Amino acid sequence: MKLPLSWLKDYVDIDLSVEDLARVLTRAGLEVDSIQLVGLAAETSSQHEFKINGLTWEADKIVVAQIDEVMPHPNADRLVLCHLNDGIKEQVVLTGAPNLFQYRGTGPLPTPLKVAYAREGARIYDGHQPGQVLTTLKRAKIRGIESYSMVCSEKELGISDEHEGIILLDADAPTGMPLVDYMGDAVFEISILPNMIRNACVVGVAREVAAMTGRELRLPPADFHPAGPAIAGRASIKITNPELNPRFVLGLIENVTPQPSPYKIQLRLRLAGMRPINHVVDATNYLMLELGEPLHAFDYDVLLQRAGGKPPVIITRTANPGEHLTTLDDVDRALEPFTVLVCDEAGALSIAGVMGGQESEVTSATRNILLEGASWNFINIRKTVSYLRLQSEAAYRFSRGIHPELAPWGVQLCLKRMSDWGEGVVASGLIDSYPAPVTDPVVTLSEADVTRILGIQLSAAEIAALLRRLDFTCTVEGSSVMAKTPPHRLDVGEGVVGKADLLEEVARIYGYDNIPARRMTDALPPMHPNPVLETEAKVREQLVVLGLQEVITYRLTCVEREARILPPGAEAPGPYITLKNPIAPERSLMRRHLLASVMEIVERNARLREHLAFFEIGPVFFPRDDDPLPDEPTRLAIAMTGKRDLAGWDGAPSANLDFYDLKAVIESLLDSLHISGVTYTPAAASSYHPGKCAEIRAGDVVLGVMGELHPLVRAHYDLGASSAPVLAAELYLERFNGCRPARVLAQSVPVFPPVLEDLAVVVDESTPSAVVEEAIRAAGGKLVTAVRLFDIFRGEQLGAGKKSLAYSLTYQLPDRTLTDSDTQQVRQRIIRRLEQDLGAKLRA
Amino acid sequence: MSEDHEIFTRLDQAQAAALPALEQAGDEAALQAWKTAHLGRSSAVMQAFSQLGQAPKEIRPAIGQRANQVKLALESAFAIRSQAIKEQALQRALQQEKLDVTLPGRPQPRGRMHPESRALETIYTILAEMGFQIFRTPEVETDDYNFSLLNIPAYHPARDMWDTFHTTRPGTLLRTHTSPGQVRAMRQRAPEPIRVALPGMCYRYEQTSARSEIQFNQVELLVVGRNITFGDLKGTLTDLARRIYGDNVRTRLRPSYFPFTEPSGEMDVECFVCGGKGCAVCKNSGWLEILGCGMVHPVVLQNGGYDPSEWSGFAAGMGPERMSMLRYGIEDIRYFWSNDVRFLEQFS
């Protein structure tokens, strides 16, 4: 919300600097986003706290002046010469302002025109350049006439973008007065919190300033006795659902001629961000900005006509099935059954609290105005706004809750402003229907409550004094305060909620800054370890140690992106958690395949690096039938491709990463977690090469799958010129935890020397090395402490379908040195076992 | 005696000849040749030993002694010379073996955490020091946990604060904040006191831009106890800000609004880029907003199973990506999930 300082000062005395006031507002919860100077100066303090822009008007160079006569320019049609008095002297000033042309050559003006006049050397904005470009007025000759000063447009003074004509001030502006003193201002851009809609108006902010600074609040008048004929009998109100429309008020003004508002009013509206239209529309907008009560003006004659000359009956009701209304913005709108309409007997006039209808709109031809002030159920208004996708200043306020007490006050004050700024006779009295009166909550707050929640000691009297500053009506009873909520706000609840609401008000006005900070003195709550998180952290750390780059990708994806990780013709993946309102088709559901996400990152970086090794730890989402929420297990996906070694200057060629590079990563990872009994068995998973894929188990628990990506799946990704295979793994991280031992026992370092021995055996090509190793370990028993395969050989001398596996074996005993006969025996045992079980032959 | 004299003379001559010859030996090969000639089996010294038995008995000790002296003299001369030659060889080698030390090292693939994981880890560490334990809750949430139980009823204007992704299953959505974890933590821990951190990915229905993302992390703190006041909130969060941003950082706490806390606030720290003078990072305000906070609303306590007349608490939420962006001067939030190695490799 844009808040001009001058307007605020109508209701509260302020002797703070612009920045100090911004500080007060921010400390009250009215966060100042920026300050726009419109003439006023801002002291620059050492501690910068706000963004300040704008123009300061120099008091001696920019003043109120009067134009006494407008004369034609001898050499130019589009320029005029003004006889101008700046309070010091008479002079001739050149201008091209079109809004002076009507006075050209008409002789001395009966009423001088008051203008904003910039003397030589004044710093203003250049009116001819886009945006705000500072310029200094210098002496120049324009078409043969000397020019050194200027009558200014709003743009040149930083008020608005308006540069069509010069500013014409109100007639009572004192000639010669520095313009900054006459109308210098500063506009505060304030964020209004959702529970502070009461402060989306100047009076509301003034109340906060008064409360924070201890000054008195001067409210606009609330008591009116217009001289016009009574309104009674000129219209009537029928509210069909008081819950949706607790109050409806009508006032009447007659013999109005819409005309421009006084310049100062136009200026205020403009500074507050609204466009002045005519004094009737301006008055309703002004009132909304002033009090926070949105009003709606109907053309009374249109209503009379629709009612066949009889006094109109204003009906509020929800929309009928299929009902439509063309709103002020010229859009024909289909209405929802809960939409509340303001109607007469002939049909709908406006969407209640949101936007008026076109037919009964006020125009320049309007002479008599029926003015509506009402209050609406804010939840219903919000629903209407969200269904119709229709926002307005009125809807913004009504959808957050406007107190019904503001309706009659707003209508009367607005009618008074209309009659002040133009002609017209205000009818005496109002038509007021208030079937669902609001009961303002009375909340009891004790000294103990304040101490318990805020941590400060205040007496009941002090608490009451703080709340009274915000217009709460307070009675002190012992150590408690009974506080009645003032009739301009709906944000205070009852009971325990009301207590919290009041505590916030006490804290705010007391000042968050004044509440002392302390360190929690409670004992620490019971310890609940989070082993899942610890395992994840360990996995992450270990994979980083192993040289992999972690990625974190979007969890939102689409079927097409996910299907890329499957071979062509595979069944479409699913089912998915699908969004009802995706922001883009490619982010329309929650992923099931973490590897699909990681592969996108491989693709993205394929041309950037010759060695790629990525992993991601994150959830995937599986819908469940028996639970509205999906299962969200945490997965680990790894993808590696490219060269094993990075190219250096020595030109050593590098092989491509292969299955066993990935396997080393996984072995190291599982080993670092002390997961034992891990087996790798050939597996068939559709994303992988059928001959290069393994299932990873720890005992009976399947930990995941790894392998070389299927060539047809790899082909789904654009990996540039590289032909290297892609190695990938998908692991059920959520299962890791159960496979980690509760306790890891340290082993003693052996003191007796080991015996190392090599053993080469010839087996069938189809015999997996793990089976051979298993047989060696089984036969060797405790004596064999390490088995390391160090060579695989295939050749004619072995015969077709055979391979030789060479192992380096370590024999060791914890309690004595091995003898030759020990090693001889174990070696024979191993050889026998390999021969018998696997048909192996010792290789000579 | 002449024989005696002769063998003594031979030994003296052998020694006299050997020592200068040793000086001539310039490398390891010459050294070995010298050793064979002067200390080998057929050398004069060794001959003296082997022929000792043929010498007259009475002078054998004298000959043996003399031969031994010569042998020791030659051996020690050899050792010294050998050492000198090794040293010369080493010196030569050291002078010849010169590397271009400016050549780059052999590149090694290096692993790194994602910067966001690193940021979270840093925050977890700080929070752990302050006694907060990590408590994680689902990313796909019910409307109840995300809104209603947090004192945000359907169509309440406060819902405008969150642009929400809804799923096709009625009543479920992608959590818009980590706050649903408040009620989940309370329901699981009641009636214990609570001090937890609720981290994780949240989602907002928003066009992505340099400043906003559809998914982002939050870390929320929740404290529930019998003696928790607004003063504790201030103290704890000021401590937290100092641990994250430095001991001397100035903070300010200003009123704000969240439906699930009251009183609510937002904490700003003095812009650490410009020191509060005003710059592009703080948008000329001198302050950076780092977290939202407040005393847990009584309705939320009630929904979590705690009696608000006996229990109180505070909650605070912060955005790690935003914190990283400020800290590293990252200009576009979309870098985080696009995972370009040229971005990721900047963090270790």
Side-chain angles (χ1 to χ4, degrees), chain A residues 48 382 501 519 554 649, chain B residues 104 160 213 232 239 262 284:
Chain A
H48 185 88
R382 186 178 180 279
D501 294 332
R519 292 217 163 83
Y554 289 98
W649 44 263
Chain B
D160 289 348
E213 255 295 2
D232 294 315
D239 273 355
E262 195 167 24
N284 267 317

Side-chain angles (χ1 to χ4, degrees), chain B residues 63-267:
Chain B
I63 294 172
Q65 199 180 1
R66 182 74 184 119
N68 220 17
Q69 280 171 358
V70 172
K71 183 179 171 237
L72 285 174
L74 293 188
E75 277 176 351
S76 77
F78 176 82
I80 290 166
R81 183 63 189 155
S82 172
Q83 182 62 33
I85 284 174
K86 273 186 187 144
E87 216 140 272
Q88 280 171 18
L90 177 66
Q91 284 307 324
R92 260 198 314 278
L94 287 180
Q95 274 177 16
Q96 285 166 3
E97 294 168 4
K98 236 187 169 107
L99 292 183
D100 177 357
V101 297
T102 66
L103 279 176
R106 279 196 187 79
Q108 303 280 335
R110 226 174 95 195
R112 293 176 187 82
M113 276 194 196
H114 191 277
E116 188 54 25
S117 291
R118 178 68 73 198
L120 284 171
E121 193 184 59
T122 306
I123 294 171
Y124 292 171
T125 306
I126 290 172
L127 290 175
E129 287 169 9
M130 298 173 72
F132 288 87
Q133 298 171 21
I134 306 297
F135 188 96
R136 291 197 292 191
T137 64
E139 296 182 14
V140 180
E141 261 297 2
T142 63
D143 190 281
D144 278 353
Y145 276 103
N146 197 76
F147 290 124
S148 305
L149 292 169
L150 292 172
N151 195 32
I152 316 167
Y155 290 105
H156 192 276
R159 286 212 179 184
D160 289 348
M161 295 166 80
W162 296 276
D163 295 307
T164 310
F165 282 117
H166 297 275
T167 79
T168 48
R169 187 152 186 168
T172 67
L173 42 78
L174 307 191
R175 68 173 171 192
T176 58
H177 46 186
T178 43
S179 307
Q182 290 189 25
V183 177
R184 286 190 180 273
M186 283 189 241
R187 289 185 170 180
Q188 198 175 102
R189 296 282 162 89
E192 286 175 7
I194 296 176
R195 202 183 290 187
V196 293
L198 308 160
M201 201 65 87
C202 305
Y203 303 84
R204 294 239 172 117
Y205 181 90
E206 232 171 1
Q207 288 298 339
T208 53
S209 71
R211 296 266 141 212
S212 70
E213 255 295 2
I214 52 172
Q215 75 176 38
F216 55 94
N217 277 289
Q218 268 192 355
V219 178
E220 185 146 335
L221 310 185
L222 174 69
V223 175
V224 176
R226 289 180 185 274
N227 184 29
I228 302 297
T229 71
F230 195 82
D232 294 315
L233 173 152
K234 267 185 83 170
T236 307
L237 298 184
T238 309
D239 273 355
L240 179 66
R242 284 169 47 199
R243 281 168 195 244
I244 296 175
Y245 294 102
D247 211 27
N248 296 320
V249 73
R250 288 197 332 140
T251 56
R252 79 176 179 185
L253 183 63
R254 56 190 162 73
S256 188
Y257 171 73
F258 305 101
F260 36 93
T261 52
E262 195 167 24
S264 300
E266 274 174 312
M267 183 172 268

Side-chain angles (χ1 to χ4, degrees), chain A residues 119-175:
Chain A
R119 293 181 176 134
E120 184 177 3
R123 284 171 66 75
I124 57 172
Y125 291 129
D126 190 329
H128 299 286
Q129 293 207 47
Q132 297 187 321
V133 181
L134 269 178
T135 179
T136 304
L137 283 185
K138 292 196 190 81
R139 203 167 276 267
K141 258 199 170 138
I142 297 173
R143 299 243 172 176
I145 305 267
E146 177 117 300
S147 167
Y148 49 86
S149 62
M150 187 181 269
V151 283
C152 299
S153 68
E154 290 195 341
K155 177 166 181 175
E156 283 154 346
L157 293 177
I159 295 170
S160 73
D161 291 337
E162 185 60 54
H163 189 58
E164 263 303 288
I166 58 160
I167 300 171
L168 293 177
L169 300 172
D170 295 333
D172 59 1
T175 300

Side-chain angles (χ1 to χ4, degrees), chain A residues 680-755:
Chain A
Y680 299 81
T681 46
S686 60
S687 300
Y688 296 86
H689 187 303
K692 302 178 181 177
C693 174
E695 185 179 70
I696 309 159
R697 289 168 177 266
D700 295 338
V701 181
V702 176
L703 294 182
V705 62
M706 62 163 289
E708 186 179 315
L709 217 54
H710 196 293
L712 294 177
V713 173
R714 186 196 185 285
H716 287 158
Y717 297 90
D718 175 7
L719 303 183
S722 166
S723 60
V726 175
L727 297 318
E730 295 159 284
L731 295 143
Y732 304 114
L733 198 53
E734 78 275 14
R735 298 180 188 170
F736 280 31
N737 223 40
C739 298
R740 296 183 70 184
R743 188 162 172 233
V744 177
L745 290 173
Q747 304 293 318
S748 301
V749 176
V751 285
F752 296 97
V755 173

Side-chain angles (χ1 to χ4, degrees), chain A residues 116-374:
Chain A
Y117 175 63
R119 293 181 176 134
E120 184 177 3
R123 284 171 66 75
I124 57 172
Y125 291 129
D126 190 329
H128 299 286
Q129 293 207 47
Q132 297 187 321
V133 181
L134 269 178
T135 179
T136 304
L137 283 185
K138 292 196 190 81
R139 203 167 276 267
K141 258 199 170 138
I142 297 173
R143 299 243 172 176
I145 305 267
E146 177 117 300
S147 167
Y148 49 86
S149 62
M150 187 181 269
V151 283
C152 299
S153 68
E154 290 195 341
K155 177 166 181 175
E156 283 154 346
L157 293 177
I159 295 170
S160 73
D161 291 337
E162 185 60 54
H163 189 58
E164 263 303 288
I166 58 160
I167 300 171
L168 293 177
L169 300 172
D170 295 333
D172 59 1
T175 300
M177 181 185 255
L179 192 69
V180 62
D181 294 343
Y182 177 62
M183 56 178 244
D185 220 327
V187 180
F188 297 83
E189 177 81 51
I190 294 173
S191 298
I192 299 293
L193 297 170
N195 67 333
M196 281 202 185
I197 194 63
R198 65 179 187 281
N199 293 335
C201 62
V202 188
V203 166
V205 175
R207 184 182 286 109
E208 296 290 337
V209 172
M212 293 294 284
T213 59
R215 294 302 184 96
E216 197 187 328
L217 177 68
R218 289 184 300 270
L219 289 173
D223 234 8
F224 303 95
H225 304 285
I231 189 174
R234 310 285 299 277
S236 59
I237 299 166
K238 208 167 112 193
I239 295 174
T240 54
N241 186 341
E243 200 190 314
L244 297 179
N245 176 203
R247 190 171 200 174
F248 200 99
V249 175
L250 288 170
L252 183 66
I253 184 168
E254 292 173 287
N255 298 319
V256 170
T257 305
Q259 58 186 278
S261 299
Y263 180 71
K264 271 208 157 174
I265 299 304
Q266 292 191 35
L267 178 62
R268 276 190 174 176
L269 289 172
R270 228 178 271 234
L271 293 181
M274 295 200 95
R275 201 161 51 90
I277 312 280
N278 59 48
H279 87 284
V280 172
V281 177
D282 291 354
T284 58
N285 285 334
Y286 189 93
L287 202 285
M288 178 179 71
L289 295 171
E290 184 182 27
L291 273 194
E293 167 74 16
L295 301 169
H296 187 72
F298 292 103
D299 187 321
Y300 184 58
D301 296 320
V302 172
L303 299 185
L304 275 178
Q305 194 188 352
R306 283 165 62 103
K310 288 186 298 198
V313 182
I314 303 297
I315 303 158
T316 67
R317 60 164 172 84
T318 49
N320 297 322
E323 195 164 1
H324 280 245
L325 179 69
T326 302
T327 42
L328 278 178
D329 52 1
D330 206 16
V331 178
D332 179 53
R333 297 178 187 275
L335 305 168
E336 297 292 331
F338 53 80
T339 306
V340 178
L341 301 171
V342 177
C343 315
D344 61 8
E345 285 170 313
L349 298 167
S350 72
I351 300 175
V354 180
M355 193 172 275
Q358 212 168 40
E359 192 184 341
S360 55
E361 172 186 14
V362 169
T363 66
S364 55
T366 300
R367 291 296 169 264
N368 303 308
I369 289 162
L370 194 62
L371 188 62
E372 162 200 325

Side-chain angles (χ1 to χ4, degrees), chain A residues 43 476 568 570:
Chain A
E43 304 90 284
V476 175

